Amino acid sequence: MIDEVQTVKNIASEKDAIGDFRFPERHKFDAGYGLTSKTVDYISDVKDDPDWVRAFRHKALAAFEEMPMPTHWATKDLESIDFDKIRYYLASGEAPKRSWDDVPEDVKRTFERLGIPEQERKFLAGVEAQYDSEAAYSNVKQAVTDQGVIFVNSTEGLKQHEDVFRKWFGKVIPTRDNKFSALNSAVFSGGSFIYVPPGVKVKHPLQAYFRINSENFGQFERTLIIVDEGAEVMYMEGCTAPKFETSTLHSAVVELVAMKDAKIQYVTVQNWSSNVFNLVTKRGVAHENAEIRWIDCNIGSRLTMKYPGVVMKGRKARGEVISIALANTGQHQDTGAKMIHAADETTSNVISKSISIGEGRSTYRGQVHIPKHLKGCKNNTECDALLINSSSRTDTYPAITVRGNDHATQHEASVSQVSQDQIFYMKQRGLSEAEAMSLSVNGFINDLVREFPMEYSVELKRLIDLEMEGSVG
Amino acid sequence: MEAQTQSQQMKLEIKDLHARIDGQEILKGLSLDIPKGEVHAIMGPNGSGKSTLSKVLAGHDDYEVTGGEVLMDGVNLLEMPADERSRAGLFMAFQYPVEIPGVSNANFIRAALQARLPNGEELDAVDFYKALYAKMDELEIDRKFTARSVNEGYSGGEKKRNEILQMAMLEPFYCVLDETDSGLDIDALKIVAKGVNAMRSPYRGFLVITHYQRLLDYIEPDHVHVMVNGRIVRSGGKGLALELEEKGYDWVRDELAVTA
């Protein structure tokens, strides 16, 4: 049975094929359809949550039910999510394995197909591989563990490291931050907990991979990363799901804490299939002279809403968001950044580039906040949009609030189109129309792609090439 | 006999070509043969259709061919899309080279060469850079141009030299130079001409389109044609260019009027 990979019909392109396969479901635990307080109790029971977590979940559920859908500023498409037709917890009931050999065959083959074990061998310090609601594999290289670095899933984190976990959990992103952070807080499962002790610089990246295998399912991972004084870490996440007939929900909450002089780089390359609602809240707190960089690439999904933020809480803290979004027909990438300056001499930088193909739509929403009582803050915001076809769409909503006169802000925005002259020029040199488009698009984002680790930038270029292939003609 | 037929076909053959843009006929029955090994120059006043000819040859979508044919070594060029014409060996040096932000010169040329290889075959990076640097040296192009975006922020002369660099790297069978001399000072002109002359060979034909005779001092043509109102109205040796320079295009026009 397991041998039969059900490759979903009508593979339009190789790009879809990358993540577009699935194995039969065999879940021991299934919370069933719909979300009530019973669902929350079911999850708490299965996970054997401590009481404070169970209470936290119930409070969050009440908040979720009470809070309105944010369609007054966001897209109406949110209304097409049917919360009664989603399953909120699916798990095999097995603890994550430390060795790929112990991982069930179907799950192992899934991640092999996605290249995870290979990447782990090549350049990663640790990997957590989540399959539906829970991690199937989780391992950290011994050298990293010896440095005192903790890298486990959120369940292990809250149980085994409660003192550190509880101190920060839900503090960077409160439950009521938005409707979907409330939803995540009610039903969260999986995701990573990372703690890096003072002064430890983790040399190689830690990686998490989030895989959805089941239909009519919601994935709600919760990640909390705490990097202590003077420590450094790079965390990378990737995500895929097969193409289902019905829509799938992915709603994560990611909280980062960079203590004094710490550095966190959080890299995302998502390649969701085109029916995933990807509604994610990501934010970090940077203390004195700390640095948080979000490096974010959004490909795929039906609707992505994601605005990574940095609260610069300590003097000279730095926040950065580098983001690339690619919206093809039937997709809406609503992305941006939030930079909250809360101390003197803090610096933020936002560079966002979006590409809209066919009838794809990309939206940039940026919020920069520098209050009056601060001194010497700087913000630079650049958002550039590239439109491939005449039916492609882009919107920009930058909200920059700067009070006081001791700050420097700079904002640049541009919209450009790949011109027929460019395409003809490249064709005259022998490139096909698709190759010419790919080259233009790669040129457009080239300076940002360099910010990604090499292994990811290669993958990124390949995904973009594949995305362009079906889009011209 | 067989061999002779073969060699007769080794040319770019334009027969009674008609083309229009936005409903307006620009080429009105143009015929011209460019055998390999020869350099042909087309001169003509503004608006005579010179640039249209180069764009029609290269396969620009805006132009509609309404009659005639173009054969490249016996193969119907007009049936191929622009990229296929390029890969088959036709090169056009643009009068206004286009900027491609973010795409480095080296990557661009590399992609163009890669597009010529069979599926699954990879261009050797070491050989590529060796060849690229050698050609850049010949054309006195600074090495830093490998990393600079294609044509972005280049001076007029730098753009034209870059066209010749691409031409040299792609090694086409037929080269169309569309007013390559426009916007060049005399030093840049000499360098460009040197690059073109270095590529002259029995296996390559050139069509040099220019408004001024000056370029032909440096790229010496085997034949000169005068184009007026979408047709070749006069052909001759390189002396024709000098005569034109001296007497101006009105001379040809007047003569035509008399003949008519």
Coordinates of all heavy atoms in Angstrom, one line a residue, chain B residues 188-238:
Chain B
A188 N 36.0 55.0 -30.8 CA 35.1 53.9 -30.6 C 34.8 53.2 -31.9 O 34.8 52.0 -32.0 CB 33.8 54.4 -29.9
L189 N 34.6 54.1 -32.9 CA 34.3 53.5 -34.3 C 35.4 52.6 -34.8 O 35.2 51.5 -35.3 CB 34.1 54.7 -35.2 CG 33.7 54.4 -36.7 CD1 32.3 53.8 -36.7 CD2 33.7 55.6 -37.5
K190 N 36.7 53.0 -34.5 CA 37.8 52.2 -35.0 C 37.9 50.9 -34.2 O 38.1 49.9 -34.8 CB 39.1 53.0 -34.7 CG 39.4 54.1 -35.7 CD 40.8 54.7 -35.3 CE 41.1 55.9 -36.3 NZ 42.2 56.7 -35.8
I191 N 37.6 50.9 -32.9 CA 37.6 49.7 -32.2 C 36.5 48.7 -32.7 O 36.7 47.5 -32.9 CB 37.4 50.0 -30.7 CG1 38.6 50.8 -30.2 CG2 37.3 48.7 -29.9 CD1 38.4 51.4 -28.8
V192 N 35.3 49.3 -32.9 CA 34.2 48.5 -33.4 C 34.5 47.9 -34.7 O 34.3 46.7 -35.0 CB 32.9 49.3 -33.4 CG1 31.8 48.6 -34.3 CG2 32.4 49.6 -32.0
A193 N 35.1 48.7 -35.6 CA 35.4 48.2 -36.9 C 36.5 47.1 -36.9 O 36.4 46.2 -37.6 CB 36.0 49.4 -37.8
K194 N 37.4 47.3 -36.0 CA 38.5 46.3 -35.8 C 37.9 45.0 -35.4 O 38.2 43.9 -35.9 CB 39.5 46.8 -34.7 CG 40.8 46.0 -34.7 CD 41.7 46.6 -33.6 CE 41.9 45.6 -32.5 NZ 42.5 46.1 -31.3
G195 N 36.9 45.1 -34.5 CA 36.2 43.8 -34.1 C 35.5 43.2 -35.2 O 35.5 41.9 -35.3
V196 N 34.8 44.0 -36.0 CA 34.1 43.4 -37.1 C 35.1 42.8 -38.2 O 34.9 41.7 -38.6 CB 33.2 44.5 -37.8 CG1 32.6 44.0 -39.1 CG2 32.1 45.0 -36.8
N197 N 36.1 43.6 -38.5 CA 37.1 43.1 -39.4 C 37.7 41.8 -39.0 O 38.0 40.9 -39.8 CB 38.2 44.1 -39.7 CG 37.6 45.3 -40.5 OD1 36.7 45.1 -41.3 ND2 38.1 46.5 -40.3
A198 N 37.9 41.6 -37.7 CA 38.6 40.4 -37.2 C 37.7 39.2 -37.4 O 38.1 38.1 -37.5 CB 38.8 40.5 -35.7
M199 N 36.4 39.5 -37.6 CA 35.4 38.4 -37.8 C 35.2 38.1 -39.3 O 34.5 37.1 -39.6 CB 34.1 38.7 -37.1 CG 34.2 38.6 -35.6 SD 32.5 38.9 -34.9 CE 31.7 37.4 -35.4
R200 N 35.7 38.9 -40.2 CA 35.4 38.7 -41.6 C 36.1 37.3 -41.9 O 37.2 37.0 -41.5 CB 36.1 39.8 -42.4 CG 35.3 41.1 -42.3 CD 35.9 42.2 -43.1 NE 35.6 42.1 -44.5 CZ 35.6 43.1 -45.3 NH1 35.8 44.3 -44.9 NH2 35.3 42.9 -46.6
S201 N 35.3 36.5 -42.7 CA 35.9 35.2 -43.0 C 35.1 34.7 -44.2 O 34.0 35.2 -44.5 CB 35.8 34.2 -41.8 OG 34.7 33.3 -42.0
P202 N 35.6 33.7 -44.9 CA 34.9 33.1 -46.1 C 33.6 32.4 -45.6 O 32.8 32.1 -46.4 CB 35.9 32.1 -46.6 CG 37.2 32.4 -46.0 CD 37.0 33.1 -44.7
Y203 N 33.5 32.2 -44.3 CA 32.3 31.5 -43.8 C 31.2 32.4 -43.2 O 30.3 32.0 -42.6 CB 32.8 30.5 -42.8 CG 33.9 29.6 -43.3 CD1 35.2 29.8 -42.9 CD2 33.6 28.6 -44.3 CE1 36.2 29.0 -43.4 CE2 34.7 27.8 -44.8 CZ 36.0 28.0 -44.3 OH 37.0 27.3 -44.8
R204 N 31.4 33.7 -43.5 CA 30.5 34.6 -42.8 C 30.1 35.8 -43.7 O 31.0 36.3 -44.4 CB 31.2 35.1 -41.5 CG 30.3 36.0 -40.6 CD 31.0 36.2 -39.3 NE 31.0 35.0 -38.5 CZ 32.1 34.6 -37.9 NH1 33.2 35.2 -37.9 NH2 32.1 33.4 -37.2
G205 N 28.9 36.1 -43.7 CA 28.5 37.3 -44.5 C 28.0 38.4 -43.6 O 27.5 38.2 -42.5
F206 N 28.2 39.7 -44.2 CA 27.8 40.8 -43.4 C 26.9 41.7 -44.2 O 27.1 41.9 -45.4 CB 29.1 41.7 -43.0 CG 30.0 41.0 -42.0 CD1 30.9 40.1 -42.3 CD2 29.8 41.4 -40.6 CE1 31.7 39.5 -41.3 CE2 30.6 40.8 -39.7 CZ 31.6 39.9 -40.0
L207 N 25.9 42.3 -43.4 CA 25.1 43.3 -44.0 C 25.3 44.5 -43.1 O 24.9 44.5 -41.9 CB 23.7 42.9 -44.1 CG 22.7 44.0 -44.6 CD1 23.0 44.4 -46.0 CD2 21.3 43.5 -44.6
V208 N 26.0 45.6 -43.6 CA 26.2 46.7 -42.8 C 25.3 47.9 -43.2 O 25.4 48.3 -44.3 CB 27.7 47.2 -42.9 CG1 28.0 48.4 -42.1 CG2 28.7 46.0 -42.6
I209 N 24.4 48.2 -42.3 CA 23.5 49.3 -42.6 C 24.0 50.6 -42.0 O 24.3 50.6 -40.8 CB 22.1 48.9 -42.0 CG1 21.5 47.7 -42.7 CG2 21.1 50.1 -42.1 CD1 20.3 47.1 -42.1
T210 N 24.1 51.6 -42.8 CA 24.6 52.9 -42.2 C 24.0 54.1 -43.0 O 23.6 54.0 -44.2 CB 26.1 52.9 -42.2 OG1 26.6 54.1 -41.7 CG2 26.7 52.7 -43.6
H211 N 24.0 55.1 -42.3 CA 23.6 56.4 -42.9 C 24.8 57.1 -43.5 O 24.6 57.9 -44.5 CB 22.9 57.2 -41.9 CG 22.2 58.5 -42.4 ND1 21.0 58.4 -43.0 CD2 22.6 59.8 -42.4 CE1 20.7 59.6 -43.3 NE2 21.6 60.5 -43.0
Y212 N 25.9 56.9 -42.9 CA 27.1 57.7 -43.3 C 28.2 56.8 -43.9 O 28.3 55.7 -43.6 CB 27.7 58.4 -42.1 CG 26.7 59.3 -41.4 CD1 26.1 59.0 -40.2 CD2 26.5 60.6 -42.0 CE1 25.2 59.8 -39.6 CE2 25.6 61.4 -41.4 CZ 24.9 61.1 -40.2 OH 24.0 61.9 -39.6
Q213 N 28.9 57.4 -44.7 CA 30.0 56.7 -45.4 C 31.2 56.4 -44.5 O 31.9 55.5 -44.7 CB 30.5 57.6 -46.6 CG 31.4 57.0 -47.6 CD 32.9 57.1 -47.1 OE1 33.2 58.0 -46.4 NE2 33.7 56.1 -47.6
R214 N 31.3 57.2 -43.4 CA 32.4 57.2 -42.5 C 32.8 55.8 -42.0 O 33.9 55.3 -42.1 CB 32.1 58.0 -41.3 CG 33.2 58.3 -40.4 CD 32.8 59.2 -39.2 NE 31.8 58.5 -38.3 CZ 31.6 58.8 -37.0 NH1 32.4 59.7 -36.5 NH2 30.8 58.1 -36.3
L215 N 31.8 55.0 -41.7 CA 32.0 53.6 -41.2 C 32.7 52.8 -42.2 O 33.5 51.9 -41.9 CB 30.6 53.0 -40.8 CG 30.7 51.5 -40.3 CD1 31.4 51.4 -39.0 CD2 29.3 51.0 -40.2
L216 N 32.4 53.1 -43.5 CA 32.9 52.2 -44.5 C 34.4 52.5 -44.8 O 35.0 51.8 -45.6 CB 32.0 52.4 -45.8 CG 30.5 52.1 -45.6 CD1 29.7 52.3 -46.9 CD2 30.3 50.7 -45.0
D217 N 34.9 53.6 -44.3 CA 36.3 53.8 -44.3 C 37.1 52.7 -43.5 O 38.2 52.4 -43.8 CB 36.7 55.2 -43.7 CG 36.3 56.3 -44.7 OD1 36.1 56.0 -45.9 OD2 36.2 57.4 -44.2
Y218 N 36.4 52.2 -42.5 CA 37.0 51.3 -41.6 C 36.6 49.8 -41.8 O 37.3 48.9 -41.6 CB 36.7 51.7 -40.1 CG 37.3 53.1 -39.8 CD1 36.5 54.2 -39.9 CD2 38.7 53.2 -39.6 CE1 37.0 55.5 -39.7 CE2 39.2 54.5 -39.3 CZ 38.3 55.6 -39.4 OH 38.8 56.9 -39.2
I219 N 35.3 49.7 -42.2 CA 34.8 48.3 -42.6 C 34.6 48.4 -44.1 O 33.6 48.9 -44.6 CB 33.5 48.0 -41.9 CG1 33.7 48.0 -40.4 CG2 33.1 46.5 -42.3 CD1 32.4 47.8 -39.7
E220 N 35.6 47.9 -44.8 CA 35.5 48.1 -46.3 C 34.6 47.1 -46.9 O 34.8 45.9 -46.9 CB 36.9 47.9 -46.9 CG 37.3 49.0 -47.9 CD 38.7 48.9 -48.4 OE1 39.6 49.4 -47.7 OE2 38.9 48.2 -49.4
P221 N 33.5 47.6 -47.6 CA 32.5 46.7 -48.1 C 32.9 46.2 -49.5 O 33.7 46.8 -50.2 CB 31.3 47.6 -48.3 CG 31.8 49.0 -48.5 CD 33.2 49.0 -47.8
D222 N 32.4 45.0 -49.8 CA 32.6 44.5 -51.2 C 31.6 45.1 -52.1 O 31.9 45.3 -53.3 CB 32.5 42.9 -51.2 CG 33.5 42.3 -50.3 OD1 34.7 42.4 -50.6 OD2 33.1 41.7 -49.3
H223 N 30.4 45.3 -51.6 CA 29.4 45.9 -52.4 C 28.6 47.0 -51.6 O 28.5 46.8 -50.4 CB 28.3 44.8 -52.8 CG 29.0 43.7 -53.6 ND1 29.1 43.8 -55.0 CD2 29.5 42.6 -53.2 CE1 29.7 42.7 -55.4 NE2 29.9 41.9 -54.4
V224 N 28.2 48.0 -52.3 CA 27.4 49.0 -51.7 C 26.1 49.1 -52.4 O 26.0 49.1 -53.6 CB 28.1 50.4 -51.7 CG1 27.3 51.5 -51.2 CG2 29.4 50.3 -50.9
H225 N 25.0 49.2 -51.6 CA 23.6 49.3 -52.2 C 23.0 50.6 -51.6 O 23.2 50.9 -50.4 CB 22.8 48.1 -51.8 CG 23.4 46.8 -52.1 ND1 23.4 46.2 -53.3 CD2 24.2 46.0 -51.3 CE1 24.1 45.1 -53.2 NE2 24.6 44.9 -52.0
V226 N 22.2 51.2 -52.4 CA 21.5 52.4 -52.0 C 20.1 52.0 -51.8 O 19.5 51.5 -52.8 CB 21.7 53.6 -52.9 CG1 21.0 54.8 -52.4 CG2 23.2 53.9 -53.1
M227 N 19.5 52.3 -50.7 CA 18.1 52.0 -50.5 C 17.3 53.3 -50.4 O 17.7 54.2 -49.6 CB 18.0 51.2 -49.2 CG 16.6 50.8 -48.8 SD 16.7 49.6 -47.4 CE 15.0 49.3 -47.2
V228 N 16.3 53.4 -51.2 CA 15.4 54.5 -51.1 C 13.9 54.0 -51.2 O 13.6 53.1 -52.0 CB 15.6 55.5 -52.3 CG1 14.6 56.6 -52.3 CG2 17.0 56.0 -52.2
N229 N 13.1 54.4 -50.3 CA 11.7 54.1 -50.3 C 11.4 52.6 -50.4 O 10.6 52.1 -51.2 CB 11.1 54.9 -51.5 CG 9.5 54.9 -51.3 OD1 9.0 54.7 -50.2 ND2 8.9 55.2 -52.4
G230 N 12.2 51.9 -49.5 CA 11.8 50.4 -49.4 C 12.4 49.5 -50.5 O 12.0 48.4 -50.6
R231 N 13.3 50.0 -51.3 CA 13.9 49.2 -52.4 C 15.3 49.5 -52.5 O 15.8 50.6 -52.2 CB 13.2 49.5 -53.7 CG 11.9 48.9 -53.9 CD 11.5 49.0 -55.4 NE 10.1 49.0 -55.5 CZ 9.3 50.1 -55.7 NH1 9.9 51.3 -55.7 NH2 8.0 50.0 -55.8
I232 N 16.1 48.6 -53.1 CA 17.5 48.9 -53.5 C 17.4 49.6 -54.8 O 16.8 49.0 -55.8 CB 18.3 47.6 -53.6 CG1 18.3 46.8 -52.3 CG2 19.7 47.9 -54.1 CD1 19.0 47.5 -51.1
V233 N 17.9 50.8 -54.9 CA 17.8 51.5 -56.2 C 19.1 51.6 -57.0 O 19.1 51.9 -58.1 CB 17.2 52.9 -55.9 CG1 15.8 52.9 -55.4 CG2 18.2 53.7 -55.0
R234 N 20.1 51.2 -56.3 CA 21.4 51.3 -57.0 C 22.4 50.4 -56.2 O 22.4 50.3 -55.0 CB 21.9 52.7 -56.9 CG 22.6 53.2 -58.1 CD 22.7 54.7 -58.0 NE 22.8 55.4 -59.3 CZ 24.0 55.4 -60.0 NH1 25.1 54.9 -59.5 NH2 24.0 56.1 -61.1
S235 N 23.2 49.7 -57.0 CA 24.3 48.9 -56.4 C 25.6 49.1 -57.1 O 25.6 49.4 -58.3 CB 23.9 47.4 -56.5 OG 22.7 47.1 -55.7
G236 N 26.6 49.0 -56.3 CA 27.9 49.2 -56.9 C 29.0 48.8 -56.0 O 28.8 48.1 -55.0
G237 N 30.3 49.2 -56.4 CA 31.4 48.9 -55.5 C 31.5 49.9 -54.4 O 30.6 50.7 -54.2
K238 N 32.7 49.9 -53.7 CA 32.8 50.8 -52.6 C 32.8 52.2 -53.0 O 32.6 53.1 -52.3 CB 34.0 50.4 -51.7 CG 35.3 50.5 -52.4 CD 36.4 49.9 -51.6 CE 37.7 49.7 -52.4 NZ 38.6 48.8 -51.8

